[in-house]
Amino acid sequence: MYRKILLAIDYEDDGEGKRALEEGVRLLSDGGELHLATIFAPGGTGFFPHVTADTPEDRETEVRESLSLLARKYLPMQHSASLHVVAGTPGEKLVALAANIGADLIILVSKGAGSLWPLRRATVEYVAVNACCAALVLPVPAKAQGSTVDKR
């Protein structure tokens, strides 16, 4: 059992959020703390990535609302969680956040061979090698693979 667990969640993937929260609650010791984190890119996308209609603050608010919705949807009522929404490079930001909160476990969900896997693999590898605590990489349940919708 762990006293401080950091769950790295893709706020756009409902199945991943559910999977990570279930495992986090299962591994949390009585009186422990859950921390939900999502890392987002603050810039725009497309041909001119530096031009975006949303400000970084607007983007952060949108991401925080999505993460909060996942927590309300899948976190059992007797538990609470601190939400962390951070702009930047996922691996580096997750490792820094884990150190700042004193986490003793980081949980990530692997999407396997999905379209963003090279990016995911780099994040998972970076966290596993550089984290100040244990890292647990969960597979996506077989029925959920291929059924997630990428809203980007």
Side-chain angles (χ1 to χ4, degrees), residues 2 5-8 16 19-20 23 26-27 94 105-112 117 120-129 131 133-141 145:
Y2 297 89
I5 300 176
L6 175 60
L7 304 170
E16 178 179 320
R19 175 83 170 104
E23 193 65 16
R26 189 182 75 75
L27 294 172
L94 287 170
L105 178 66
I106 301 174
I107 297 178
L108 303 106
V109 178
S110 168
K111 289 188 179 180
W117 177 239
R120 271 296 171 108
R121 183 173 50 208
T123 299
V124 169
E125 183 177 327
Y126 186 91
V127 170
V129 170
C133 60
L136 174 61
V137 181
L138 302 172
V140 173
Q145 286 183 352

Side-chain angles (χ1 to χ4, degrees), residues 3 9 15 55 58 64 70 85 90 97 102 104 138 140-141 147 151:
R3 61 178 182 76
I9 295 177
T55 66
D58 291 339
R64 184 173 300 280
L70 278 172
V85 177
L97 180 58
D104 49 2
L138 302 172
V140 173
S147 68
K151 298 186 267 185

Side-chain angles (χ1 to χ4, degrees), residues 87-102:
T89 306
E92 293 173 5
K93 296 298 182 178
L94 287 170
V95 167
L97 180 58
N100 285 341
I101 65 171

Side-chain angles (χ1 to χ4, degrees), residues 59-73:
R59 182 85 171 112
E60 181 179 346
T61 299
E62 173 190 331
V63 172
R64 184 173 300 280
E65 288 171 2
S66 295
L67 186 61
S68 178
L69 178 62
L70 278 172
R72 288 191 313 268
K73 190 172 181 181

